[in-house]
Amino acid sequence: MFTRFLAIFALILACACAPARAQDVAAPFDGELQRLAEILGGLHYLRGICGANEGNKWRSEMQALIDAETPSGERRTRMIAGFNRGYNGFQQTYRSCTPAATVAIRRYIEEGSKISRDLTARYAN
């Protein structure tokens, strides 16, 4: 399932991201991208405390999302804020890996996969 999430995530980066815009205009999928950013932030924190030994993998995935989408101004700020919100929210709740943290990881991977599939289905060319 984890590998499938990564494959779908890569597909959304390649297919569903809009080109750079001259103006800071919101894309119709910005809400979903912000949620995906929040999920990546949560996974970055949770996978770290649960001993996944992935280093900055999820932060790098977030950077790849930003690089692919190339948001500017307020769009970029909102995406980064979503990542930070996901990270900080779990950092305030969990100090060590618990069964609940493991469940949260699984649910976030499932939700991220769903968002990726939906965005790909709607916006891929």
Side-chain angles (χ1 to χ4, degrees):
M1 173 169 283
F2 181 70
T3 305
R4 190 171 88 190
F5 171 74
L6 291 178
I8 292 172
F9 183 71
L11 180 62
I12 189 172
L13 288 177
C15 298
C17 294
R21 293 166 174 73
Q23 300 175 355
D24 191 22
V25 178
F29 48 83
D30 274 357
E32 287 121 330
L33 286 181
Q34 287 175 37
R35 179 61 184 151
L36 188 56
E38 190 172 334
I39 288 168
L40 292 172
L43 287 171
H44 181 63
Y45 181 76
L46 290 172
R47 297 284 292 172
I49 65 167
C50 287
N53 295 324
E54 296 171 331
N56 284 325
K57 176 181 181 156
W58 298 103
R59 184 182 305 268
S60 297
E61 294 292 340
M62 179 64 196
Q63 186 61 55
L65 179 62
I66 289 172
D67 291 347
E69 180 60 23
T70 62
S72 61
E74 188 61 31
R75 287 186 73 226
R76 180 181 174 86
T77 301
R78 284 192 306 264
M79 286 179 70
I80 293 169
F83 181 89
N84 291 335
R85 187 173 41 254
Y87 185 93
N88 293 330
F90 283 111
Q91 184 182 41
Q92 293 174 6
T93 306
Y94 296 101
R95 299 286 184 226
S96 63
C97 190
T98 65
T102 303
V103 169
I105 290 169
R106 182 177 44 81
R107 288 181 180 169
Y108 265 34
I109 288 173
E110 289 171 3
E111 184 180 354
S113 296
K114 181 181 182 325
I115 291 170
S116 296
R117 279 191 312 271
D118 291 349
L119 285 172
T120 301
R122 267 187 268 150
Y123 299 104
N125 293 334

